[in-house]
Amino acid sequence: AGIKVKTGFGKFDITIQKSSKHPIAIIFEGTIDNYSNSLIDDYHYYYRQYVNRGWDIKIINTYDLINNYDQILKNIISDIEGKNK
């Protein structure tokens, strides 16, 4: 099947999967929700828990996303294709 993009959970804003292996979770840094909690503590928890399960965790700054959307999207797709073939 193709790439599946889903609404995230917890501190993950989006999850992306091409197959049942190596999902990617994305946290958008700079969103309003990030200011109400300690991003470092949350990142540390989710990073350790899910990397140990084979996930690739990415932090994307909203400013970078706005200014480099095409390149960030290409990088994500490249990561998906490289890990999930």
Side-chain angles (χ1 to χ4, degrees):
I3 295 171
K4 295 180 183 178
V5 179
K6 297 181 181 180
T7 301
F9 54 89
K11 285 294 173 190
F12 298 149
D13 292 302
I14 295 174
T15 60
I16 303 171
Q17 227 173 334
K18 185 174 180 186
S19 67
S20 61
K21 295 182 180 180
H22 305 294
I24 294 174
I26 298 176
I27 299 171
F28 291 112
E29 179 185 49
T31 58
I32 293 172
D33 185 49
N34 293 146
Y35 297 115
S36 63
N37 296 311
S38 169
L39 181 60
I40 294 171
D41 290 342
D42 292 337
Y43 170 78
H44 187 269
Y45 171 78
Y46 280 93
Y47 182 87
R48 285 189 175 272
Q49 292 297 315
Y50 287 89
V51 165
N52 288 339
R53 296 178 183 147
W55 287 58
D56 184 8
I57 310 300
K58 300 192 175 304
I59 304 285
I60 299 174
N61 183 281
T62 54
Y63 179 82
D64 292 337
L65 183 63
I66 290 167
N67 291 302
N68 300 307
Y69 178 81
D70 290 339
Q71 187 59 49
I72 289 173
L73 189 58
K74 286 178 187 176
N75 291 345
I76 292 170
I77 291 169
S78 176
D79 288 348
I80 292 168
E81 295 298 325
K83 288 192 168 197
N84 292 325
K85 286 187 175 181

